[in-house]
Structures are given as structure tokens and as C-alpha cells.
């Protein structure tokens, strides 16, 4: 074999440049005209499979130019576009364009950010990103942490650190089955379903979760929380952790974090905050009081791919004492030679979380934080909240809509036909059918929330492309489609 290995996977410089230029041109055109496209296309799985082609794995290779051209068409013309200004559905933001460029650059170098020696600059960039995220939300930059895939993994990472810190030290050797006291954890009834997954996957079981009822403002009832902790202690359980929510996924409510912090200190419990969605609002001075005692949290989960506009995937776990992560995740098999770098202790992210091999997620977050800056994010997040308030106010004023709740950048509302007796069962059915129509119609994309037994349309504004004009048009589209859906539901069924 001579010095040049001939293979089918390499792309020569000129071809790579040509393909790349065309791809960037296509993406630039796509982003500049995204508002003129449908939010989604109404294509069934079988239709998409037909477009994709039900072919077998190719025996011989296909030229890269042909593949990229076809794939560009597939993705740009047959996807749900969460960057569209009328996508206000699930908490997936419109992605910062610099993040797309960052992912291309990161993939080109392809550092394994599990060990410093495998990713020297990438590791230092991730460390700086963690520090900046801590500063951004207003806690000490001495918090340690790690970038993960999203909210579930950010919360899981903290959950396991809490279990290690608060369970008997013998847990690593003997497991949960040999702990004499049943471990218990506490959260609001509105907490995201990640907690169920964590309890099941990490050995505590769903019966270990105490779902605390909410008060009239939909926050965790801290009085009931204390009563439940006391009762568990009396009955021989071992409480270890309380989860406060900073922006629940349905309505955006922030729990009384200061009150929860006081309770955790009194009973020596790990205080975790699930701020995957809402915690970036701390950058806005007038919302600081909502997040009082944030700095008392032992761990915090946040998702840059939500309200910091990073492309997927980018979640983050912050821990006040990063040694808790090392105590939980670190191991040193003989085939690891990652410990030192020229007489300095190198930080290896495999010791901070569940993954050993890790991609360079931090780059897109790091670049966006610099491009936008604190003041830029304050402006963008403030505008998102203001647009959510506009949607609430317009819903409140419209005779065929009922405004239900508005917190942070989430508004819930529902369609109510004119001169129609308020029948909650029917209205729930109507709004569920309406949502299905809206999600497949292509004009806008909302999601749903159940608030006080009402099936509501839910709009979460984490989209830097959305304008007041879009909000006004969303009202018009919702009412138009609501009338149509109501009419169809009122028509007597005719046997064909």
C-alpha cells in the first residue's frame, strides 16, 4: 500500500468545497424563506416511506454530491419546521444559525469530549461553557457540570448524584436492596415525567415518588410537602431529595423555590431544580424574585436547546459541589490513561456523567452565548414573554376564545363557540379535535395542556422568529378552524 490510500469514503478537497458551498446556499435560502413554508406537511408514514424509497441497503456506493442533493430535498421539504415563526408547540426553540455552523465544525474535528487528552481544546471550551451558564442564571461560576443530550438526561444526572450523596455509603457495593430504609423523593404533581423514569430506571421504584399537590397558583404546596416528609420519617422512610420546578412544561409556573430551599436545609435533603425550560428567564431583572434561592440548589437542570436557542441536542446539569458528580460517576480502569497533563490535573468529563465517549455539544452553546451576549438574550427572552402575553390578552378579548393561563412564555387558551352552553366535556373534545387539525394543517403548530380539567391549546414562545403579526394570525387561524371543527362535531352522523 503506497502513501495514498484509495477508498470510497474520502471526499477530495475540490468536491468537498463544491458540495459544501451548494449545501450552505440551500440552507441559507431555506432559512431566509422559512416563514413562507408550511410548518409541517400532512404526509403519513407510508407516504414518507414511499418518498424515501423502500430500497435495500445499496451494494455499491452512491456519489456524495447526489446523496447530499437528495437528502437536502428530503429534509427541507418533508419535515416539521420548529424554526418556523408559527411553531409554538413543544419547547423546542428555533435554532440559532451559528449553532448549525458550530455542529459542522465540531463534527469535522470530531473530538471525544470524554477525556482531556482526547479533546484538549473542546474540554476547555465545555468547562468555560458550564461556567458561563452558571453565571447566566445567577449562581456561582464555581458550580461544576456537564453538557448532556437534554432535560431527561440533565435531570437523571443530578438524580443519581443526589442518590449517591444522600443514600447510605454502602449503596455502591451492596445496592438498594440492602438499605434498611426506603428512599423517598418529593415533587409537585406538575413535575415532568422524567421523575417516573428516574425512579424506575435507578432502582427506587415509582412508589418512592411523593407527588405533592399544588396550591391555587399551581405551585407545589409546601405545607403539604412538610407534612408528607414528617409522615414518611415517622413511618421509617428516608427522604433524600426534593425537586422544585422552574417553569413547568404545561403552564410555565415556577415553584416557591425559596420555601423549598428552607425545607431542604431543615431536613437535610438534596434540593434539585428542574429548570430545563424556564430558568433562562433569570436573566430578566423583573423576574429575579421568581427564582429566589436559586443559588441554594444542590443541582440544576437547564436546556440550552430550549430557551437559549441552541440546536438539538444540548442539555446541562449544574451541581453546586462538582465532587458529587465525581463520587457518582468516576471510575479508573487500568486501560484509562487520562489522569494527568504535564503535572496539572486534567478534567475528564467521563467522570461527570453517564457517557464515556461524548460529542462536542458545548461548541454551539459557547458560540451562541458569545454572539448574542447577556443583553441580547435578555432582549430575546423578554420579547418571547411579551408575545405570550399578547396571545393571552387577544384570547381574553376574543368572544370565541377563553384565556386560561399565562406564565413566563407559555399561554394556554381554548376555543369556545358563540352562544354555546359551557359543557366542559364537549369543549375538551372540541379542543382536542381542533388541536389535531391545527397540528396537521401546516399553518401553525400548538400543543396541549390540561389545566383544571380543561383541555387547552398551549403555545410556548421560545422562537426568535415569531412576531406580533404571527400571534394575531394564530388567533385568526384558531378561530377559523375552531368554527369548522365545532360545525363538524355538531353534524349528525349519517350511516353511509
Amino acid at each position: 500500500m503506497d502513501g495514498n490510500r484509495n477508498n470510497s469514503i474520502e471526499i477530495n478537497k475540490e468536491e468537498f468545497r463544491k458540495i459544501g458551498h451548494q449545501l450552505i446556499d440551500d440552507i441559507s435560502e431555506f432559512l431566509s424563506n422559512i416563514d413562507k413554508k408550511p410548518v409541517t406537511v400532512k404526509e403519513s408514514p407510508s407516504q414518507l416511506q414511499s418518498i424515501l424509497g423502500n430500497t435495500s441497503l445499496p451494494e455499491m456506493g452512491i456519489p456524495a454530491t447526489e446523496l447530499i442533493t437528495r437528502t437536502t430535498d428530503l429534509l427541507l421539504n418533508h419535515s416539521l419546521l420548529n424554526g418556523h415563526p408559527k411553531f409554538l408547540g413543544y419547547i423546542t426553540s428555533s435554532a440559532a444559525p451559528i449553532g448549525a455552523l458550530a455542529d459542522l465544525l465540531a463534527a469535522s474535528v470530531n473530538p471525544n469530549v470524554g477525556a482531556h487528552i482526547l479533546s484538549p481544546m473542546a474540554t476547555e471550551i465545555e468547562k468555560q461553557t458550564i461556567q458561563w451558564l452558571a453565571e447566566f442564571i445567577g449562581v456561582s461560576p464555581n458550580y461544576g457540570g456537564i453538557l448532556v443530550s437534554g432535560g431527561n438526561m440533565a435531570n437523571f444526572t443530578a438524580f443519581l448524584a443526589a442518590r449517591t450523596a444522600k443514600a447510605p455509603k454502602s449503596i455502591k457495593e451492596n445496592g438498594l436492596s440492602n438499605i434498611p430504609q426506603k428512599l423517598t423523593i418529593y415533587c409537585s404533581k406538575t413535575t415532568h415525567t422524567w421523575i417516573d423514569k428516574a425512579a424506575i430506571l435507578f432502582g427506587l421504584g415509582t412508589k418512592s415518588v411523593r407527588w405533592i399537590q399544588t396550591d391555587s397558583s399551581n405551585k407545589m404546596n409546601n405545607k403539604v410537602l412538610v407534612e408528607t416528609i414528617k409522615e414518611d420519617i415517622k413511618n421509617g422512610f428516608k427522604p433524600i431529595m426534593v425537586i422544585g420546578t422552574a417553569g413547568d412544561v404545561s403552564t410555565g409556573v415556577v415553584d416557591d423555590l425559596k420555601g423549598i430551599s428552607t425545607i431542604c436545609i431543615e431536613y437535610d435533603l438534596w434540593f434539585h431544580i428542574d429548570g430545563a425550560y424556564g430558568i433562562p428567564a433569570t436573566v430578566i431583572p423583573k423576574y429575579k424574585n421568581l427564582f429566589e434561592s436559586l443559588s441554594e440548589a444542590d443541582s440544576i437542570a437547564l436546556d440550552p436547546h430550549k430557551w437559549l436557542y441552541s440546536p438539538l441536542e444540548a442539555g446541562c446539569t449544574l451541581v453546586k459541589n462538582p465532587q458529587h458528580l465525581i463520587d457518582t460517576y468516576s471510575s479508573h480502569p487500568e486501560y484509562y490513561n487520562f489522569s494527568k497533563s504535564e503535572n496539572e490535573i486534567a478534567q475528564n468529563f467521563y467522570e461527570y456523567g453517564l457517557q464515556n465517549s461524548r460529542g462536542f455539544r458545548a461548541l454551539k452553546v459557547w458560540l451562541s452565548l458569545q454572539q448574542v451576549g447577556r443583553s441580547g438574550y435578555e432582549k430575546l427572552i423578554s420579547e418571547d414573554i411579551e408575545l405570550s402575553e399578547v396571545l393571552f390578552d387577544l384570547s381574553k378579548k376574543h368572544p370565541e376564545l377563553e384565556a386560561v393561563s399565562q406564565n413566563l412564555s407559555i399561554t394556554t387558551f381554548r376555543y369556545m363557540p358563540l352562544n354555546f352552553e359551557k359543557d366542559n366535556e364537549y369543549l375538551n373534545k372540541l379542543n382536542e379535535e381542533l388541536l389535531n387539525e391545527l397540528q396537521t394543517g401546516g399553518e401553525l403548530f400548538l400543543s396541549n395542556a390540561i389545566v383544571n380539567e380543561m383541555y387547552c391549546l398551549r403555545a410556548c414562545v421560545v422562537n426568535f422568529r415569531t412576531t406580533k403579526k404571527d400571534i394575531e394570525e394564530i388567533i385568526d387561524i384558531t378561530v377559523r378552524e375552531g368554527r369548522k371543527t365545532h360545525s363538524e362535531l355538531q353534524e349528525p352522523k349519517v350511516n353511509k
Side-chain angles (χ1 to χ4, degrees):
M1 185 181 294
D2 60 24
N4 293 312
R5 182 178 172 187
N6 184 28
N7 61 66
S8 60
I9 200 166
E10 187 68 87
I11 302 176
N12 68 52
K13 183 171 72 173
E14 291 307 316
E15 185 182 5
F16 190 92
R17 180 183 286 119
K18 182 180 178 182
I19 294 171
H21 284 177
Q22 184 60 56
L23 179 59
I24 292 296
D25 284 345
D26 290 341
I27 292 172
S28 298
E29 188 69 21
F30 164 74
L31 292 177
S32 66
N33 292 293
I34 195 170
D35 60 322
K36 300 176 181 65
K37 288 177 163 287
V39 183
T40 188
V41 286
K42 192 175 182 179
E43 294 170 330
S44 67
S46 59
Q47 287 175 308
L48 290 168
Q49 288 161 15
S50 177
I51 293 166
L52 186 61
N54 295 310
T55 59
S56 300
L57 175 68
E59 182 66 30
M60 303 300 292
I62 301 169
T65 303
E66 179 183 336
L67 288 171
I68 295 297
T69 299
R70 179 166 183 263
T71 305
T72 300
D73 173 67
L74 288 174
L75 287 175
L76 300 190
N77 295 310
H78 302 278
S79 293
L80 179 143
L81 307 180
N82 51 43
H84 193 287
K86 289 190 179 67
F87 178 87
L88 305 180
Y90 300 99
I91 312 177
T92 307
S93 67
S94 48
I98 199 169
L101 297 174
D103 273 346
L104 174 60
L105 178 57
S108 299
V109 179
N110 198 32
N112 181 346
V113 200
H116 193 285
I117 195 172
L118 303 178
S119 54
M121 182 50 71
T123 294
E124 295 304 321
I125 286 174
E126 181 158 349
K127 284 167 59 180
Q128 189 171 74
T129 303
I130 295 294
Q131 176 189 331
W132 287 353
L133 288 172
E135 290 179 0
F136 186 95
I137 67 171
V139 300
S140 169
N142 293 324
Y143 270 67
I146 188 169
L147 271 292
V148 294
S149 59
N152 269 14
M153 290 305 300
N155 286 302
F156 288 173
T157 302
F159 183 96
L160 288 171
R163 194 189 70 174
T164 300
K166 295 300 181 180
K169 300 305 177 188
S170 62
I171 187 174
K172 282 194 172 183
E173 293 78 23
N174 299 324
L176 289 170
S177 60
N178 292 294
I179 296 176
Q181 293 174 294
K182 176 73 174 175
L183 307 181
T184 50
I185 49 186
Y186 305 81
C187 63
S188 161
K189 287 176 68 177
T190 64
T191 301
H192 189 275
T193 187
W194 74 261
I195 189 63
D196 261 336
K197 289 184 183 179
I200 294 167
L201 294 173
F202 303 135
L204 276 68
T206 56
K207 289 184 178 179
S208 69
V209 182
R210 305 294 190 251
W211 297 94
I212 307 301
Q213 68 189 59
T214 53
D215 60 21
S216 58
S217 61
N218 217 31
K219 299 180 180 182
M220 181 156 59
N221 189 318
N222 287 352
K223 181 180 179 183
V224 175
L225 172 62
V226 171
E227 292 170 352
T228 307
I229 291 170
K230 286 181 176 178
E231 187 69 17
D232 278 343
I233 293 171
K234 178 182 175 183
N235 292 328
F237 294 97
K238 180 174 176 53
I240 63 168
M241 180 184 192
V242 180
I243 298 145
T245 300
D248 85 77
V249 292
S250 292
T251 62
V253 166
V254 178
D255 283 332
D256 174 10
L257 303 178
K258 182 179 180 181
I260 296 171
S261 171
T262 301
I263 294 165
C264 287
I265 292 169
E266 180 178 354
Y267 291 94
D268 190 27
L269 306 178
W270 183 282
F271 177 27
H272 174 65
I273 296 177
D274 178 0
Y277 152 59
I279 219 159
T282 57
V283 77
I284 303 171
K286 77 174 186 177
Y287 290 107
K288 283 285 187 185
N289 64 312
L290 270 182
F291 303 94
E292 192 174 357
S293 294
L294 187 65
S295 60
E296 299 300 317
D298 294 293
S299 57
I300 301 166
L302 65 149
D303 277 3
H305 70 215
K306 289 187 169 72
W307 220 352
L308 294 180
Y309 316 105
S310 170
L312 293 160
E313 302 168 346
C316 178
T317 304
L318 296 174
V319 178
K320 179 183 282 189
N321 180 358
Q323 184 62 41
H324 287 303
L325 293 175
I326 295 172
D327 291 345
T328 303
Y329 297 105
S330 181
S331 61
H332 295 275
E334 61 184 16
Y335 50 85
Y336 279 9
N337 184 31
F338 301 148
S339 57
K340 290 191 177 182
S341 175
E342 296 184 1
N343 300 318
E344 295 182 20
I345 301 299
Q347 179 167 322
N348 298 309
F349 277 107
Y350 81 86
E351 297 188 277
Y352 281 63
L354 289 161
Q355 289 180 273
N356 280 4
S357 299
R358 303 176 62 249
F360 192 12
R361 294 188 183 97
L363 185 62
K364 54 196 169 190
V365 182
W366 184 75
L367 285 172
S368 293
L369 287 170
Q370 293 177 87
Q371 183 200 14
V372 181
R374 177 183 291 276
S375 62
Y377 276 110
E378 182 180 339
K379 178 178 182 292
L380 287 170
I381 292 170
S382 295
E383 289 171 350
D384 286 345
I385 293 173
E386 289 166 7
L387 289 171
S388 175
E389 292 169 344
V390 168
L391 179 59
F392 183 84
D393 290 341
L394 291 175
S395 300
K396 194 173 182 179
K397 293 173 183 175
H398 199 286
E400 293 173 75
L401 296 174
E402 179 181 17
V404 177
S405 69
Q406 195 285 317
N407 296 281
L408 296 181
S409 68
I410 296 179
T411 286
T412 63
F413 64 109
R414 62 179 182 169
Y415 178 72
M416 290 185 63
L418 281 172
N419 304 317
F420 189 82
E421 185 177 343
K422 197 167 183 178
D423 177 344
N424 197 55
E425 183 178 350
Y426 174 77
L427 289 174
N428 284 349
K429 181 180 179 182
L430 169 60
N431 281 275
E432 185 173 3
E433 290 293 325
L434 171 57
L435 181 68
N436 291 335
E437 292 299 319
L438 293 175
Q439 287 190 343
T440 57
E443 291 183 279
L444 72 151
F445 197 99
L446 306 177
S447 57
N448 71 285
I450 307 298
V451 184
N452 297 325
E453 299 184 350
M454 294 183 289
Y455 190 100
C456 299
L457 307 176
R458 170 186 167 279
C460 181
V461 188
V462 286
N463 192 327
F464 56 80
R465 294 190 176 98
T466 304
T467 66
K468 185 179 178 184
K469 181 173 181 288
D470 291 306
I471 297 297
E472 292 167 347
E473 290 173 355
I474 284 170
I475 291 289
D476 294 339
I477 294 166
T478 301
V479 171
R480 184 193 73 215
E481 293 302 311
R483 290 171 181 167
K484 180 181 174 184
T485 304
H486 173 56
S487 177
E488 290 172 351
L489 287 176
Q490 292 298 296
E491 290 177 2
K493 293 182 180 179
V494 178
N495 292 324
K496 294 185 179 180

